[in-house]
Amino acid sequence: MTERDAQLLAFYQRERIEDQLRYYRDRRDQFDRAVGQALALSAMLLGFSSAVGALAGADSGWTGLWTTLATVLPAVATALAAYTALYAFEQQSKIYGDAIRAVHAASRRNPPPGLGDGEPTGDAVTELVQRVETALRQEQSQWGQLTSDTQIAGPAEE
């Protein structure tokens, strides 16, 4: 491998592959946190709604407040679940995780047969770049699939 090929490989590895993987990991972690936060908040709201439902049934001076909260809290939990589904946090996290795995697999150096020391040749560097760029294009195409799967309901037809 020439010095120029080695420089290109090091630059590409650092500035394209590692940078893209860092971005994918950050986004995946962000969406994983969003899913966890939404689930925790929904569980908390439903737990509170159960408690205020029990309090609403009790004969106390705050019955109107408990009845109102017993009605509002489940509606808020439902709105939160709808928000979470609308933004598809879980699906987005999965897409980023799939992209991480694809880029890792594509960026592995596969030396040509018969190359004893495993040092990549210029052709091997070109092949590696092509594999990684193909994996990145496939990740981009998954976003189109996500948006086509996430249908927004229009007005009801009569």
Side-chain angles (χ1 to χ4, degrees), residues 130-141:
Q130 288 173 343
R131 284 194 322 258
V132 170
E133 293 302 316
T134 298
L136 294 173
R137 277 192 300 277
Q138 288 172 347
E139 178 266 332
Q140 288 176 343
S141 69

Side-chain angles (χ1 to χ4, degrees), residues 47-82:
F48 285 146
S49 68
S50 295
V52 296
L55 289 171
D59 192 21
S60 69
W62 297 70
T63 306
L65 172 67
W66 301 134
T67 304
T68 303
L69 286 175
T71 305
V72 170
L73 289 177
V76 172
T78 302
L80 179 63

Side-chain angles (χ1 to χ4, degrees), residues 79-150:
L80 179 63
Y83 173 81
T84 303
L86 176 66
Y87 282 96
F89 294 130
E90 196 168 344
Q91 292 93 333
Q92 291 188 54
S93 173
K94 182 186 177 309
I95 288 173
Y96 283 117
D98 291 346
I100 291 168
R101 284 186 290 283
V103 170
H104 273 298
S107 64
R108 284 193 199 107
R109 294 187 198 169
N110 297 327
L115 191 61
D117 61 1
E119 183 177 313
T121 63
D123 290 339
V125 171
T126 302
E127 180 187 339
L128 181 136
V129 169
Q130 288 173 343
R131 284 194 322 258
V132 170
E133 293 302 316
T134 298
L136 294 173
R137 277 192 300 277
Q138 288 172 347
E139 178 266 332
Q140 288 176 343
S141 69
Q142 288 183 5
W143 293 110
Q145 181 180 353
L146 176 66
T147 57
S148 67
D149 289 346
T150 307

